[in-house]
C-alpha cells in the first residue's frame, strides 16, 4: 500500500512544516580556545539525503555538516557542553519510505520537513570544541591508560561483560573503577564490545558511580609501595582479552551461559572470573587475592540509625534519600584514607590517622600569643567549639608541598564532600565542649565515603578565559550574568567564607529583566570553576532563547572570535576589574550583567534581600567599574 501524497508545502525554505511545527534545526560549533563560532541552519532542501549504512532507507545524516563546522572554527575535538566525556552524536533520521530523489520538489521537501520537525523538539544543538587533538581512540592505549590510573589510585579496573537478558546471547560491556571485594554493581553495560567500551570510557566515566557501588566494600587503609604505578603503561591486547572474558560467559563443563564475566586489573595483572546469579543479586564465582597495597582495616561502628545488616555484600538498600547518619554505608568510620589526584592522575595517599602510630593529639583552640604568627599554628578560635587539627590532617599544606593549588580542590567522585574550611584547613566544630576533636573530624571526613576513602582532585578545569567565554556567549546571541564577592576580610575566622568567590551563568537575552532568577551566586573559588560551570549549563539558556513561534526562524550565529566582545573593551582583564569592584563592597555579592553593548552593575536592595537594583549602567565593563569605584 503506497503512502498518501503529502500536501503541497509552503514556499521553501521556511522554519515551519506547514502544520504548526518547526521545520528547522540549527547546528552550532564554538571553539573555546579561539572563540570562533560557526553554524548551519538545516531546513528542507539544505542537506542532500543519502542512503543509510545498510542501504535500506534514505536518510538525513548531519554528521558531515557538524564536521564541516568544526573545521571552520579549527576544532579537532568536539564535546557536549553538559557531558564532556560523552561522544558527539550528530542528528540523524530516516526519511519516510515515500521519499525518492525523482519526486517533484514540493513533495520531497514536504517529506524532509516532516522528519526535521520531528527532530526539532530540540532545535538548537551547540557543541564546544578545542584546537588541541582529541584523546587517543586506540582501544589498547586507552585501556592501558585506565590500568595505569587504577594502579595510581589503588583501585581495581573492572571490565565486565554481562548478559542484557538472562539466557540471552547478547552481551553488554562496561569498564569501571571499583574498590576491592565490593559487591558486583548494577550499572548498565552499554557497549557492544570491548573495543567500543575502551574507546568510550574516560577516567571520569570509569570513576562515575564509584561512591554508589563501593559503599558496602570492605574499608582498608592504603599502603602502596614506593614504586607503585611508576612502571609506565602496560601492554594490553584487546582482542585476546576480549576472547578470554567471553570464555567466562559460558560454563566450562556444561556449556550453559553464565551471567557474564569479569576481568580485574589488580597488582599489574589481570584476574578472571565468571559471574553467577545468587537469588536476586549477581556475584563473582571467586575473588582474586587482596591487593598488595591494601593496609589494615579502617575501624568503624555500625550505624545507630540503620536496621542491622547481616551481609553488606548483599545489601541493596537505596542510597539516595536514605540514611543521613551514614549516607547509605551502614558504617560510622573512625578513620579515613585520603587520595589526592593531580591533573596527570598521579596520586598521593594519606591515612588519617596513620595506622602504625594511632591518633595524633589535636591542636588547642586558642594558641599562645607567641605562637600566633606561626602559619602552622592554629588560628585563634572565636568559639570553644571550633578547633583546628594539626597540619598532618589538613589538605592545604599537603597540596602546597605537591605544588598544587588548594583552590583547585574538588571531589573526584560523586560522594559527600566536606566544606573547604574542614578538609583544607582542618577545622572542626564540636557538638559539645567535651567531644574529641580528632574523632569528630575523622567521622565527618569519612562520612558517606565509599569504604572510608576520600578522593580529591586538585586540577583546574579546562575552561577558557572569562573574556573568551563572554565573547562566545555574545556571538551566540546570549547574555552573561557574573557574580563576585570579596571575603578576604574573613581570613582567620574559620566558620566564615574566605577569599574571593565567583559565579557565572549564561542566560537568554530576555533574562536581563529578571536578574534574581538568573543570578548564579558567588560560590566558586576560581574564575575557571565558575566559567566551567556556566558552560556546562549552556543549554539551559540556549533552549529558552529559541523563538516560541515556529514560523520565526532561529538565528544561525557565527563569528571568527578575533575581537573580544565590545563590552569588554579596555586594557584591563575582566577578572581584574571584577576583583576591584568586589573590593569596593566587601562581603557583598556584586552582580554584573553583560550584554553585547551594555554592562549593568547590580547590588542587593537590602543586606538579606534577594532583590537587586542597578546602581551603574555603562557601555563597557571598564567604564561601569570606574564609575562605581568613584561613587
Amino acid at each position: 500500500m503506497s503512502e498518501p501524497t503529502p500536501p503541497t508545502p509552503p514556499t521553501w525554505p521556511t522554519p515551519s512544516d506547514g502544520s504548526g511545527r518547526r521545520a528547522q534545526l540549527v547546528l552550532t560549533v564554538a571553539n573555546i580556545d579561539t572563540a570562533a563560532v560557526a553554524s548551519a541552519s538545516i531546513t528542507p532542501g539544505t542537506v542532500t539525503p543519502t542512503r543509510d549504512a545498510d542501504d535500506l532507507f534514505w536518510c538525513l545524516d548531519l554528521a558531515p555538516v557538524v564536521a564541516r563546522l568544526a573545521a571552520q572554527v579549527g576544532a579537532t575535538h568536539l564535546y557536549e557542553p553538559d557531558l564532556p566525556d560523552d561522544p558527539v552524536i550528530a542528528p540523524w533520521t530516516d526519511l519516510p519510505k515515500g521519499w525518492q530523489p525523482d519526486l517533484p520538489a514540493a513533495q520531497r521537501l514536504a517529506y524532509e520537513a516532516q522528519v526535521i520537525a520531528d527532530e526539532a523538539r530540540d532545535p538548537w544543538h551547540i557543541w564546544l570544541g578545542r584546537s588541541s587533538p582529541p584523546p587517543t581512540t586506540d582501544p589498547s592505549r586507552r585501556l592501558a591508560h585506565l590500568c595505569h590510573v587504577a594502579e595510581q589510585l589503588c583501585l581495581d579496573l573492572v571490565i565486565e561483560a554481562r548478559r542484557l537478558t538472562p539466557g540471552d546471547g547478547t552481551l553488554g560491556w562496561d569498564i569501571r573503577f571499583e574498590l576491592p571485594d565490593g559487591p558486583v554493581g548494577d550499572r548498565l553495560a552499554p557497549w557492544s564490545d570491548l573495543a567500543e567500551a575502551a574507546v568510550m570510557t574516560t577516567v571520569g566515566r570509569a570513576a562515575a558511580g564509584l561512591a554508589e557501588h563501593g559503599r558496602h566494600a570492605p574499608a582498608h587503609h592504603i599502603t602502596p609501595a614506593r614504586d607503585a604505578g611508576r612502571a609506565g603503561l602496560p601492554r594490553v591486547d584487546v582482542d585476546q582479552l576480549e576472547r578470554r572474558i567471553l570464555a567466562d560467559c559460558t560454563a566450562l563443563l556444561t556449556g550453559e551461559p553464565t551471567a557474564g564475566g569479569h576481568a580485574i586489573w589488580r597488582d599489574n595483572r589481570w584476574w578472571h572470573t565468571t559471574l553467577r546469579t545468587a537469588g536476586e543479586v549477581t556475584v563473582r564465582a571467586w575473588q582474586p587475592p587482596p591487593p598488595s597495597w591494601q593496609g589494615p582495616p579502617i575501624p568503624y561502628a555500625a550505624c545507630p540509625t540503620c536496621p542491622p545488616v547481616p551481609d553488606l555484600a548483599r545489601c541493596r538498600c537505596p542510597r539516595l534519600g536514605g540514611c543521613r547518619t551514614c549516607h547509605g554505608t551502614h558504617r560510622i568510620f573512625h578513620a579515613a584514607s585520603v587520595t589526592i589526584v593531580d591533573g596527570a592522575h598521579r596520586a598521593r595517599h594519606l591515612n588519617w590517622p596513620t595506622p602504625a602510630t594511632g591518633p595524633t593529639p589535636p591542636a588547642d583552640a586558642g594558641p599562645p600569643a607567641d605562637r600566633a604568627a606561626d602559619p602552622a599554628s592554629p588560628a585563634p578560635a572565636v568559639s570553644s567549639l571550633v578547633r583546628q587539627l594539626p597540619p598532618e590532617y589538613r589538605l592545604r599544606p599537603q597540596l602546597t608541598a605537591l605544588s598544587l593549588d588548594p583552590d583547585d580542590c574538588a571531589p573526584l567522585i560523586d560522594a559527600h564532600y566536606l566544606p573547604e574550611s574542614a578538609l583544607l584547613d582542618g577545622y572542626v566544630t564540636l557538638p559539645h565542649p567535651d567531644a574529641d576533636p580528632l574523632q569528630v573530624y575523622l567521622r565527618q571526613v569519612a562520612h558517606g565515603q565509599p569504604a572510608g576513602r576520600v578522593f580529591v582532585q586538585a586540577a583546574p578545569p579546562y575552561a577558557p578565559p572569562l573574556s573568551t567565554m563572554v565573547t562566545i556567549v555574545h556571538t551566540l546571541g546570549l547574555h552573561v550574568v557574573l557574580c563576585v564577592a570579596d571575603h578576604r576580610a574573613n581570613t582567620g575566622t574559620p566558620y566564615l567564607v574566605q577569599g574571593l568567590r565567583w559565579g557565572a551563568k549564561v542566560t537568554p537575552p530576555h533574562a536581563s529583566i529578571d536578574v534574581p532568577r538568573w543570578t548564579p551566586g558567588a560560590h566558586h573559588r576560581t574564575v575557571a570553576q565558575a566559567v566551567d560551570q556556566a558552560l556546562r549549563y549552556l543549554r539551559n539558556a540556549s533552549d529558552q532563547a529559541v523563538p516560541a513561534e515556529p514560523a520565526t526562524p532561529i538565528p544561525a550565529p557565527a563569528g571568527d572570535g578575533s575581537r573580544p566582545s565590545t563590552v569588554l573593551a579596555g586594557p584591563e582583564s575582566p577578572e581584574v576589574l571584577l576583583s576591584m569592584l568586589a573590593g569596593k563592597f566587601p562581603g557583598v555579592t556584586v552582580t554584573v550583567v553583560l550584554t553585547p553593548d551594555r554592562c549593568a552593575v547590580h547590588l542587593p536592595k537590602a543586606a538579606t534581600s534577594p532583590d537587586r537594583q542597578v546602581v551603574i549602567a555603562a557601555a563597557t565593563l571598564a567604564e561601569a567599574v570606574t564609575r562605581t569605584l568613584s561613587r
Side-chain angles (χ1 to χ4, degrees):
M1 184 175 180
S2 60
E3 294 188 5
T5 303
T8 302
T11 303
W12 304 101
T14 175
S16 172
D17 70 343
S19 62
R21 298 190 305 164
R22 181 180 297 280
Q24 180 198 21
L25 295 174
V26 173
L27 312 181
T28 299
V29 174
N31 188 329
I32 66 171
D33 293 326
T34 65
V37 176
S39 300
S41 177
I42 308 300
T43 56
T46 59
V47 176
T48 302
T50 57
R51 300 291 286 180
D52 69 346
D54 298 323
D55 198 25
L56 298 177
F57 301 100
W58 290 95
C59 66
L60 288 178
D61 183 4
L62 301 183
V65 179
V66 176
R68 185 173 66 251
L69 295 175
Q72 284 182 238
V73 299
T76 58
H77 175 206
L78 296 185
Y79 60 94
E80 300 278 354
D82 54 339
L83 298 169
D85 290 333
D86 282 11
V88 169
I89 301 177
W92 183 96
T93 183
D94 288 331
L95 287 166
K97 293 181 179 179
W99 190 97
Q100 295 295 328
D102 55 356
L103 283 177
Q107 295 183 22
R108 284 190 286 106
L109 296 178
Y111 278 128
E112 294 174 23
Q114 292 176 14
V115 298
I116 292 176
D118 291 340
E119 191 71 28
R121 291 186 295 268
D122 185 14
W124 189 8
H125 297 259
I126 301 176
W127 294 276
L128 301 180
R130 295 169 54 181
S131 300
S132 56
T136 177
T137 55
D138 178 71
S140 296
R141 289 190 59 83
R142 179 66 68 88
L143 199 53
H145 176 67
L146 292 172
C147 291
H148 179 71
V149 173
E151 289 292 329
Q152 289 278 335
L153 301 183
C154 292
L155 293 170
D156 287 346
L157 179 69
V158 176
I159 301 176
E160 178 181 270
R162 188 183 294 201
R163 300 198 183 277
L164 301 180
T165 304
D168 184 18
T170 305
L171 293 169
W173 293 78
D174 188 28
I175 302 175
R176 59 180 179 264
F177 295 134
E178 286 190 1
L179 291 161
D181 302 332
V184 176
D186 297 327
R187 192 166 97 171
L188 176 67
W191 312 116
S192 59
D193 55 47
L194 178 55
E196 182 184 22
V199 169
M200 305 308 296
T201 303
T202 62
V203 171
R205 183 185 287 276
L210 179 61
E212 177 66 27
H213 58 245
R215 59 193 169 118
H216 296 149
H220 289 268
H221 285 290
I222 305 301
T223 56
R226 289 184 176 272
D227 59 348
R230 297 180 182 177
L233 298 182
R235 296 187 63 180
V236 179
D237 187 325
V238 172
D239 292 335
Q240 182 179 10
L241 183 60
E242 182 176 41
R243 289 193 296 268
R244 180 64 179 82
I245 297 172
L246 289 174
D248 288 326
C249 297
T250 304
L252 181 62
L253 298 180
T254 65
E256 294 294 322
T258 66
H262 271 183
I264 305 160
W265 181 264
R266 182 186 295 180
D267 281 337
N268 288 301
R269 60 157 293 183
W270 292 108
W271 305 85
H272 296 271
T273 179
T274 60
L275 299 178
R276 57 183 179 86
T277 302
E280 297 181 355
V281 300
T282 302
V283 298
R284 291 173 180 164
W286 73 285
Q287 291 283 6
S292 60
W293 39 260
Q294 189 175 84
I298 291 178
Y300 68 90
C303 175
T305 307
C306 293
V309 180
D311 187 0
L312 284 176
R314 294 175 182 268
C315 177
R316 289 296 184 270
C317 67
R319 177 191 178 107
L320 296 178
C323 176
R324 292 189 176 184
T325 305
C326 66
H327 225 57
T329 64
H330 297 304
R331 294 168 287 182
I332 306 299
F333 296 107
H334 300 318
S337 284
V338 181
T339 298
I340 302 172
V341 188
D342 67 8
H345 300 114
R346 293 169 299 203
R348 182 172 185 176
H349 304 277
L350 309 173
N351 291 311
W352 292 349
T354 305
T357 60
T360 301
D364 295 330
D370 59 348
R371 292 174 51 205
D374 183 358
S377 299
V382 297
S383 168
S384 62
L385 296 181
V386 179
R387 303 292 182 89
Q388 186 179 34
L389 277 296
E392 55 264 34
Y393 294 102
R394 309 176 202 167
L395 281 190
R396 189 179 299 277
Q398 302 284 349
L399 294 168
T400 303
L402 296 172
S403 300
L404 299 175
D405 188 349
D407 285 339
D408 292 328
C409 206
L412 179 66
I413 62 175
D414 51 347
H416 175 76
Y417 190 63
L418 280 179
E420 65 183 72
S421 61
L423 201 55
L424 285 177
D425 298 311
Y427 284 110
V428 59
T429 301
L430 305 182
H432 55 82
D434 296 330
D436 182 273
L438 181 59
Q439 291 184 6
V440 175
Y441 180 70
L442 292 175
R443 283 199 298 268
Q444 292 179 357
V445 168
H447 172 68
Q449 301 297 330
R453 294 194 58 183
V454 183
F455 295 89
V456 176
Q457 186 169 23
Y462 189 91
L466 180 57
S467 59
T468 302
M469 187 270 277
V470 172
T471 301
I472 290 174
V473 170
H474 286 169
T475 303
L476 295 176
L478 306 173
H479 294 175
V480 179
V481 176
L482 303 172
C483 285
V484 58
D486 188 346
H487 301 290
R488 287 173 287 193
N490 297 337
T491 301
T493 307
Y495 58 86
L496 295 179
V497 180
Q498 314 281 315
L500 284 171
R501 288 296 183 271
W502 304 85
K505 182 176 285 188
V506 182
T507 74
H510 55 75
S512 298
I513 62 175
D514 190 14
V515 172
R517 176 188 172 192
W518 289 93
T519 297
H523 309 295
H524 298 283
R525 294 189 299 274
T526 67
V527 178
Q529 293 170 352
V531 169
D532 179 68
Q533 180 87 347
L535 291 179
R536 284 179 181 267
Y537 290 93
L538 175 64
R539 290 285 301 273
N540 289 353
S542 63
D543 287 348
Q544 295 198 34
V546 173
E549 176 57 48
T552 304
I554 303 171
D560 61 10
S562 59
R563 303 179 71 115
S565 178
T566 55
V567 76
L568 300 179
E572 296 286 354
S573 70
E575 292 89 345
V576 172
L577 293 171
L578 291 170
S579 299
M580 296 166 57
L581 187 63
K584 173 77 172 179
F585 308 98
V588 176
T589 299
V590 181
T591 302
V592 177
V593 180
L594 297 178
T595 70
D597 55 4
R598 183 175 182 267
C599 171
V601 178
H602 298 246
L603 290 176
K605 290 184 177 179
T608 60
S609 172
D611 296 329
R612 287 165 170 77
Q613 59 185 354
V614 179
V615 294
I616 290 293
T620 66
L621 174 62
E623 181 185 354
V625 171
T626 300
R627 290 171 55 186
T628 304
L629 296 180
S630 62
R631 291 181 65 196

